[in-house]
Amino acid sequence: MEELKKGTIEALLHEERRFPPGEAFRAQAHWNDKGIYDKAGSDLESFWAEMSESIDWFTPWEKVLEGEAPSFQWFVGGKTNVCYNCVDRHLNTWRKNKAAIIWEGEKIHDRRVLTYQDLYRNVNRCAVALKRLGIEKGDRVTIYMGMIPELVIAMLACARIGAPHTVVFGGFSPDALRDRMNDCQAKMLITADGAWRRGNRVPLKENADEALKGCPSIKKVLVVNHAADARDVEMEGYRDVWWHREMDRSGNEVVEPEPLDSEHPLYILYTSGTTGKPKGLLHTTGGYLVGTHTTTKYVFDLKDNDTYWCAADIGWVTGHSYIVYGPLSNGATSVMYEGAPNQPHKGRFWQIIERNQINILYTAPTAIRAFMAWGKEFPEKFDLSSLRLLGTVGEPINPEAWIWYRKYIGYDETPIVDTWWQTETGMTLITPLPGITETKPGSATFPFPGIEADVVDEEGVSVPHGKGGYLVLKKPWPAMARTIWGDDQRWQKVYWDKFPGYYLTGDSARRDEDGYFWILGRVDDVLNVAGHRIGTMEVESALVSHPDVAEAAVIGISHEIKGQAIAAFAVLVSGKEGSKALIETLRKHVAEKIGAIARPDRLFLTHELPKTRSGKIMRRLLRDIAEGRILSDTSTLADSDVLEQIKEQYEEGEK
Ligand code: WTA
């Protein structure tokens, strides 16, 4: 923690600092002329038309953009295939034997390298297997795995045959997995017999078996043998088949990549919203590919001889767009790491960078803050001089973490790209361009060329610089989600109804006097815990599903490393006595219902929750109590005694 405090002081000293791109970097950058903003801004469609030329189309598109909010189509009439663009097309070039994926296992000597040719073979064998097992174009396939190359192979095989995948983060519980499979009526599940995390085996197959008790749509389960002795894994007769057996059976057969319409579904990815039910955001083929391809190339200034590492998990959108589709469509070498950053030691990331001479690193502020807390002696043990660009994503980065990142990881030289985007946006939308933008620590700077972002008030009117408001997007972009799977109405209601014609991000932001965007955080009941989106309602429903809980309220409180942490207030059913043991049981219950990422850091038992006269829980007051602030306006509170009681219990719990 010493380092963190020192960092804070340093940040204050540097508050006014600007970081222009270095001359050498600028000279070599793909984009180093500000004119690109005007070019894209003045003619959005021509700009994206030009960007689409980097993609191979089976049938050229006829129109760049069609439709109106909330339903846009991009590259209308075009046919392409995302897998073809990420794999096949590189085989006709010198990249055939270039490393596509460098995989580092959590066990320190586990390492695999797949060239583009290797990827081609494996993706084909997997696609052949999927077809043999009954998967057809349009069928949904759920993938529930750890960070192993088979995950990427499975995604690309789905894309190849036009079967939309839905990847469920390996840290999710059986319940969360079941809900997601049922929501999209998946026909197949691809999983593994385990994943390594901090030296332990995550029981993915056991979780899957539990989830599958209530998933009638799943007909087949394909299981990768990775973390267990195959003889110990229970395979359900007709339903479960081994990945390696099926891959062997496919032999050298190939499946031609399906020519798919630009708007054919590529994947569904679930993310938290303000209700208990996660939203399945639908991403499609042509626009998503053009958007992720373009941003990967220009935001990371990606070159052919770079070794690129995005340290996210593929269970989230960052991994989809910036480990798999963006980098591979660019023919890049994409590094993937299976495990935890402190396994087996706190210098693991830096060791991976040194070992692979990584040039570009993309990670999250929460990780950077953890590295700061661990101390600079860990990065100092390794040679990080290969790094030439750093990126961050997932939550606002505090200036002290930004400065620490640049100083100790980037040796005070590398540009940092702080990229703002969302599962819904598919691609980065507010970000520096490393050869152009003068950065300010903590600001995501400016919208990417062709993106029109604004900060507006309650009426949808732009606010002057310096003032905060709703962050909205006023023009469409190619990688935008098209809808919420099976719920067009919710898509319309959540994102487009508040300000007709504008996309509502759910974030608040402010522009400073120079026009730089500063993201302030969510304005809805969505928490950002260590870069993961968690809906307060999801955690509340998990709590009340426990027989001892009558009612619950969940809020976010600030946390030095995670950005936000979860605090829960629970009211027990009458007659039930509270105890420390029960608090632990309830925290564990939430982890079992959703996943460990949703386990409340703090849980308080109270007799009542503060409510308005109309019965709405006043979270704002709970937040004040939890953060130890003077209570904000309590005039709408129905029963003011409640607050005093909660405060007392809270303070009791703090002891
Ligand atoms: C937050 C992750 C500040 C934001 C790609 C957004 C950020 C949510 C940044 C999306 C950033 C993401 N600065 N906040 N650079 N990047 N966010 O869907 O609140 O998991 O709405 O997508 O993360 O999270 P999601």
Side-chain angles (χ1 to χ4, degrees):
M1 278 301 137
E2 259 319 287
E3 196 60 41
L4 262 183
K5 289 203 192 91
K6 249 178 39 219
T8 313
I9 297 161
E10 221 167 282
L12 289 176
L13 297 174
H14 290 133
E15 203 167 60
E16 292 304 311
R17 270 180 76 180
R18 307 276 194 280
F19 295 82
E23 255 330 296
F25 192 99
R26 182 194 289 272
Q28 301 283 323
H30 285 307
W31 276 349
N32 47 20
D33 180 351
K34 277 198 170 111
I36 190 72
Y37 287 102
D38 295 335
K39 187 175 154 190
S42 64
D43 191 348
L44 184 88
E45 294 194 22
S46 313
F47 171 74
W48 286 115
E50 192 184 322
M51 294 300 118
S52 81
E53 287 167 16
S54 306
I55 296 308
D56 287 2
W57 300 85
F58 298 146
T59 308
W61 47 264
E62 286 150 19
K63 223 166 161 240
V64 177
L65 175 62
E66 220 172 59
E68 54 188 54
S71 157
F72 295 96
Q73 294 99 50
W74 283 83
F75 305 113
V76 183
K79 284 199 192 306
T80 183
N81 183 288
V82 172
C83 177
Y84 177 88
N85 276 279
C86 288
V87 184
D88 304 47
R89 66 166 170 165
H90 305 310
L91 302 188
N92 304 321
T93 71
W94 65 270
R95 296 189 192 92
K96 177 172 167 227
N97 292 317
K98 179 179 176 178
I101 294 171
I102 296 178
W103 176 80
E104 291 265 354
E106 190 180 82
K107 291 188 186 155
I108 200 125
H109 296 298
D110 274 359
R111 189 168 189 276
R112 284 160 66 189
V113 178
L114 278 89
T115 64
Y116 276 95
Q117 175 63 30
D118 294 335
L119 199 54
Y120 174 82
R121 281 269 14 100
N122 283 297
V123 168
N124 269 290
R125 291 200 299 165
C126 181
V128 170
L130 294 184
K131 288 200 136 181
R132 192 172 54 238
L133 295 168
I135 297 301
E136 291 169 11
K137 177 176 161 183
D139 289 341
R140 274 81 61 209
V141 175
T142 298
I143 307 177
Y144 178 63
M145 259 196 234
M147 287 285 286
I148 51 176
E150 285 79 2
L151 168 54
V152 180
I153 293 166
M155 290 164 79
L156 291 166
C158 287
R160 191 170 189 84
I161 64 175
H165 57 69
T166 167
V167 179
V168 177
F169 173 56
F172 273 129
S173 68
D175 280 3
L177 173 63
R178 182 189 303 124
D179 290 349
R180 286 157 177 76
M181 291 194 286
N182 283 336
D183 185 76
C184 68
Q185 289 289 296
K187 199 165 166 189
M188 181 192 247
L189 170 65
I190 308 181
T191 186
D193 57 14
W196 293 114
R197 192 76 191 167
R198 298 208 164 79
N200 298 315
R201 187 181 70 90
V202 181
L204 294 175
K205 175 67 166 65
E206 290 87 332
N207 288 351
D209 286 340
E210 186 57 36
L212 286 165
K213 286 182 185 156
C215 291
S217 64
I218 298 280
K219 303 294 179 231
K220 285 280 174 198
V221 181
L222 190 53
V223 187
V224 177
N225 180 211
H226 173 65
D229 185 327
R231 286 167 303 191
D232 299 336
V233 180
E234 271 188 44
M235 299 289 276
E236 162 106 25
Y238 184 71
R239 188 194 71 186
D240 300 353
V241 288
W242 282 111
W243 169 281
H244 54 274
R245 297 238 175 95
E246 293 304 317
M247 295 287 274
D248 278 353
R249 283 179 71 183
S250 299
N252 282 329
E253 259 182 78
V254 294
V255 179
E256 287 311 316
E258 190 78 31
L260 299 171
D261 192 86
S262 280
E263 288 300 333
H264 184 81
L266 174 64
Y267 69 79
I268 300 161
L269 186 59
Y270 287 86
T271 189
S272 296
T274 49
T275 71
K277 192 173 181 275
K279 304 174 279 198
L281 273 314
L282 175 70
H283 283 287
T284 59
T285 299
Y288 178 81
L289 182 60
V290 172
T292 53
H293 178 91
T294 306
T295 46
T296 304
K297 178 166 174 188
Y298 296 107
V299 172
F300 299 115
D301 190 48
L302 186 68
K303 308 277 171 46
D304 245 322
N305 50 4
D306 280 325
T307 304
Y308 162 95
W309 182 23
C310 165
D313 192 291
I314 296 177
W316 313 113
V317 75
T318 305
H320 281 62
S321 297
Y322 298 113
I323 297 177
V324 184
Y325 295 118
L328 298 180
S329 68
N330 276 285
T333 297
S334 184
V335 175
M336 127 183 224
Y337 171 51
E338 176 183 29
N342 52 354
Q343 189 67 27
H345 55 73
K346 290 178 177 152
R348 186 65 198 274
F349 264 42
W350 322 125
Q351 186 174 35
I352 291 175
I353 289 171
E354 182 185 82
R355 223 194 235 189
N356 294 290
Q357 290 292 292
I358 287 170
N359 308 101
I360 301 170
L361 171 67
Y362 191 32
T363 188
T366 186
I368 299 165
R369 288 191 294 263
F371 298 140
M372 282 173 78
W374 295 342
K376 64 179 191 313
E377 56 271 28
F378 293 99
E380 276 172 356
K381 282 190 201 138
F382 299 92
D383 173 17
L384 307 180
S385 60
S386 56
L387 288 171
R388 64 178 197 85
L389 183 101
L390 301 174
T392 146
V393 60
E395 46 181 320
I397 182 162
N398 41 320
E400 54 269 42
W402 195 104
I403 284 165
W404 188 93
Y405 193 30
R406 187 167 190 276
K407 182 161 178 191
Y408 294 109
I409 310 306
Y411 295 169
D412 256 337
E413 260 177 40
T414 57
I416 294 185
V417 289
D418 173 1
T419 63
W420 175 89
W421 59 294
Q422 312 178 295
T423 306
E424 293 84 345
T425 70
M427 65 189 236
T428 289
L429 295 188
I430 304 183
T431 174
L433 290 173
I436 298 177
T437 314
E438 185 171 73
T439 48
K440 297 186 186 186
S443 165
T445 73
F446 303 108
F448 189 79
I451 303 303
E452 204 180 305
D454 199 0
V455 181
V456 301
D457 65 14
E458 205 54 53
E459 270 69 56
V461 178
S462 295
V463 300
H465 289 190
K467 278 195 78 176
Y470 296 96
L471 178 66
V472 296
L473 300 159
K474 292 180 152 177
K475 294 235 171 88
W477 62 98
M480 65 200 301
R482 301 302 195 253
T483 188
I484 293 172
W485 182 260
D487 202 345
D488 294 342
Q489 262 182 347
R490 192 173 174 198
W491 167 248
Q492 159 92 40
K493 191 161 159 264
V494 175
Y495 302 102
W496 304 90
D497 270 0
K498 190 166 174 75
F499 306 119
Y502 298 172
Y503 169 86
L504 182 73
T505 63
D507 281 353
S508 60
R510 165 178 81 78
R511 262 168 311 186
D512 66 18
E513 59 284 7
D514 303 321
Y516 283 67
F517 281 78
W518 297 77
I519 310 296
L520 304 173
R522 302 286 310 185
V523 285
D524 51 13
D525 289 325
V526 173
L527 308 179
N528 191 328
V529 179
H532 302 316
R533 271 167 73 165
I534 298 167
T536 50
M537 276 281 286
E538 276 173 87
V539 184
E540 286 164 7
S541 340
L543 278 169
V544 295
S545 75
H546 190 279
D548 292 347
V549 178
E551 207 179 6
V554 164
I555 55 164
I557 52 175
S558 12
H559 187 280
E560 236 174 320
I561 306 282
K562 298 198 253 188
Q564 270 190 318
I566 301 177
F569 294 81
V571 179
L572 298 181
V573 292
S574 67
K576 189 77 208 172
E577 278 296 310
S579 66
K580 279 226 152 69
L582 182 58
I583 290 181
E584 272 324 296
T585 308
L586 295 180
R587 291 179 64 227
K588 205 164 143 239
H589 179 73
V590 175
E592 278 163 9
K593 279 274 155 192
I594 304 174
I597 53 167
R599 180 190 287 121
D601 281 65
R602 294 279 167 83
L603 196 141
F604 302 97
L605 302 177
T606 82
H607 298 301
E608 258 179 281
L609 295 171
K611 288 190 184 151
T612 59
R613 285 178 197 98
S614 60
K616 275 185 88 172
I617 296 172
M618 297 180 77
R619 288 199 170 68
R620 160 171 75 75
L621 297 181
L622 292 174
R623 237 172 267 136
D624 287 344
I625 294 173
E627 307 254 13
R629 276 193 301 260
I630 296 173
L631 296 182
S632 42
D633 183 15
T634 56
S635 56
T636 47
L637 187 67
D639 173 5
S640 54
D641 286 350
V642 175
L643 269 185
E644 281 312 311
Q645 273 177 29
I646 296 178
K647 234 174 116 183
E648 269 167 36
Q649 282 148 2
Y650 184 87
E651 280 154 11
E652 190 58 30
E654 282 287 86
K655 281 180 196 153

